Amino acid sequence: MATAATPQSDIDPYSEEAILSPYEPYRALRDIGPAVWLEQYQVWAVARYRDVYDALHDHETFSSGSGVALNDAINERMRGTTLASDPPYHDHVRGLINGPLTPKALRAHREDFERLADELVERLVRQGSFDGVADFAHVFPTSVVPDLLGWPAEGREHFLDWASAAFNTIGPMNERSLADVPLMKGMWEYIAEMARPGRLREGSWGADLVAAADAGRIDPKLLPSLIGDYLLPSLDTTISALSSALWLLGTNPDQWDAIRRDPSLVNNAFNETVRLESPIRAFSRLVTRDHDLSGRFLPAGSRVLMLYASANRDERYWDNPEVFDVTRADARNHVGFGHGIHGCVGQGLARLQGNALLTALAKRVRRIEVGRPVWRVNNHIRAMSTLPTTLHV
């Protein structure tokens, strides 16, 4: 894949150091060129915004059908999911789960989410100090979303471990991936069990899928993957965005004051959070045909690593990209939820949770005090494990 003239780097995006402090390595990769060969992983790293954006909108050249992980075993296991598929099959399976996630469908849940957010914030205000990850960011993704899916009380204790393992194994088959492969096997077996008729609550999103399979409208073999498409992306990514929002607003009190003065900024603040601290660091694609990417030749058969988190801080596109600015006019242009046909199908649900919780905070809380976060070491998720927090009213 690479020649002596090929821009190469020994930067390892999957080292513990780069995971915990990723932004200087990203900048270095951006400075080298539009695509940089990582010999260790036999993959092109694409780190600049425009190149990532353009590639995400060219699904014929940059294919997801061969998987989006950096190892063959997980790519093979992901076949049949919306994430690891190309049109026309992708359009079919995405259509099967999209109904409850349309803006119109989600509006029906807005009042319930707002009420639950008000109750959570009131409880945390009375509590005083708490963990912004476990006591704030975990609550909606691990309760409200599984309720919508119709998941019973049993098995929910596995959700966070499953989500973490899923994103670890999307990376190269390093020690973190290998350690979580058995957990992934157990997860898929459990989800397959839950896909049986009668296991998910009647009238729920999950039960509707099972009923459609029973009626012959969906291939029953797809059920575990489709249920997984609802469940897994709605956990770690949203938890990451919510905890990062709390941290950024606590460390930028002027931005929190701006939201309190103008609560209409909440949605933009959520976008700016996802831009600056992108929950998903990267996904890969397979190049289906020889392609010129901003002057860099990518041969057919190459695998490219789309560094979303780097693109979202690219100084070639963003003004003052390191600055958290809730009034940033183009914050919505981030690629933190992907883009193009593979833009995250559940991003509307994540926004609904984020907007409800940040609005509830803005109504009640004068100042958000945060301590030093502890960041998790995960191949593909940028997330905290703890965040000391106190709310001042």
Side-chain angles (χ1 to χ4, degrees):
M1 294 290 183
T3 67
T6 300
Q8 302 186 41
S9 175
D10 59 2
I11 290 173
D12 181 0
Y14 297 98
S15 70
E16 182 170 332
E17 180 182 9
I19 288 173
L20 294 176
S21 299
Y23 298 118
E24 179 57 28
Y26 292 158
R27 185 203 58 75
L29 288 170
R30 291 195 300 270
D31 286 348
I32 294 172
V36 182
W37 182 250
L38 303 182
E39 180 71 22
Q40 179 177 356
Y41 299 115
Q42 297 289 291
V43 65
W44 293 96
V46 178
R48 297 177 180 176
Y49 177 87
R50 182 51 61 185
D51 297 317
V52 169
Y53 181 92
D54 288 348
L56 292 176
H57 285 263
D58 183 3
H59 62 269
E60 293 182 348
T61 302
F62 296 92
S63 168
S64 300
S66 296
V68 298
L70 288 187
N71 67 86
D72 293 338
I74 296 302
N75 280 334
E76 182 61 32
R77 184 61 190 84
M78 292 177 71
R79 288 185 185 275
T81 64
T82 57
L83 190 60
S85 58
D86 292 321
Y89 175 81
H90 168 267
D91 301 335
H92 168 63
V93 291
R94 183 158 175 141
L96 295 176
I97 67 171
N98 193 51
L101 296 170
T102 63
K104 181 179 179 180
L106 288 173
R107 279 197 293 272
H109 302 288
R110 182 178 297 164
E111 288 188 6
D112 284 341
F113 276 46
E114 291 173 349
R115 174 181 54 81
L116 292 169
D118 286 338
E119 292 174 358
L120 174 59
V121 168
E122 186 60 36
R123 184 164 68 249
L124 294 175
V125 166
R126 291 196 304 268
Q127 186 173 331
S129 296
F130 56 92
D131 182 355
V133 179
D135 299 326
F136 176 79
H138 279 182
V139 176
F140 272 33
T142 59
S143 60
V144 176
V145 175
D147 286 346
L148 293 171
L149 186 59
W151 201 281
E154 65 181 89
R156 295 192 183 197
E157 67 275 12
H158 302 304
F159 283 173
L160 296 179
D161 288 339
W162 285 348
S164 179
F167 283 105
N168 256 335
T169 56
I170 286 175
M173 199 52 76
N174 55 19
E175 290 182 5
R176 287 182 290 274
S177 293
L178 290 169
D180 278 341
V181 165
L183 190 59
M184 290 296 293
K185 182 176 183 294
M187 179 197 77
W188 285 115
E189 291 173 350
Y190 203 111
I191 292 178
E193 172 63 23
M194 296 307 298
R196 294 171 53 192
R199 296 305 307 271
L200 299 174
R201 177 176 49 79
E202 186 176 354
S204 66
W205 296 356
D208 287 348
L209 283 176
V210 176
D214 195 47
R217 298 193 299 274
I218 295 176
D219 184 346
K221 294 179 181 178
L222 291 179
L223 281 177
S225 293
L226 294 176
I227 291 171
D229 280 343
Y230 272 140
L231 180 63
L232 296 176
S234 68
L235 294 170
D236 259 6
T237 53
T238 307
I239 291 168
S240 170
L242 292 174
S243 52
S244 289
L246 201 63
W247 176 58
L248 289 168
L249 292 166
T251 53
N252 294 274
D254 60 321
Q255 299 301 298
W256 180 236
D257 289 343
I259 290 174
R260 292 181 63 233
R261 289 192 301 269
D262 182 4
S264 70
L265 290 172
V266 160
N267 185 60
N268 206 58
F270 190 73
N271 277 326
E272 178 69 344
T273 296
V274 174
R275 182 196 71 82
L276 193 64
E277 291 292 344
S278 305
I280 296 175
R281 301 173 64 217
F283 281 131
S284 77
R285 298 287 193 272
L286 187 71
V287 180
T288 62
R289 54 196 177 194
D290 291 352
H291 182 74
D292 183 297
L293 183 75
S294 296
R296 184 74 65 239
F297 174 72
L298 304 181
S302 303
R303 188 162 284 277
V304 295
L305 184 65
M306 302 293 181
L307 289 167
Y308 299 174
S310 172
N312 283 335
R313 291 191 177 217
D314 183 5
E315 53 283 327
R316 294 158 188 79
Y317 181 83
W318 308 96
D319 292 331
N320 301 314
E322 308 298 321
V323 174
F324 178 65
D325 180 3
V326 299
T327 66
R328 188 183 294 273
D330 55 358
R332 65 185 180 278
N333 294 345
H334 69 78
V335 291
F337 287 131
H339 233 278
I341 66 167
H342 284 284
C344 176
V345 69
Q347 64 181 281
L349 182 59
R351 294 180 194 280
L352 186 63
Q353 296 172 72
N355 289 355
L357 287 164
L358 294 183
T359 299
L361 285 169
K363 289 190 296 185
R364 189 78 172 84
V365 175
R366 174 177 54 85
R367 183 168 66 90
I368 301 170
E369 178 186 348
V370 293
R372 180 187 290 272
V374 176
W375 293 94
R376 287 166 46 196
V377 180
N378 185 283
N379 281 334
H380 272 270
I381 283 286
R382 170 74 170 167
M384 305 170 195
S385 57
T386 60
L387 177 66
T389 307
T390 303
L391 301 179
H392 299 273
V393 296

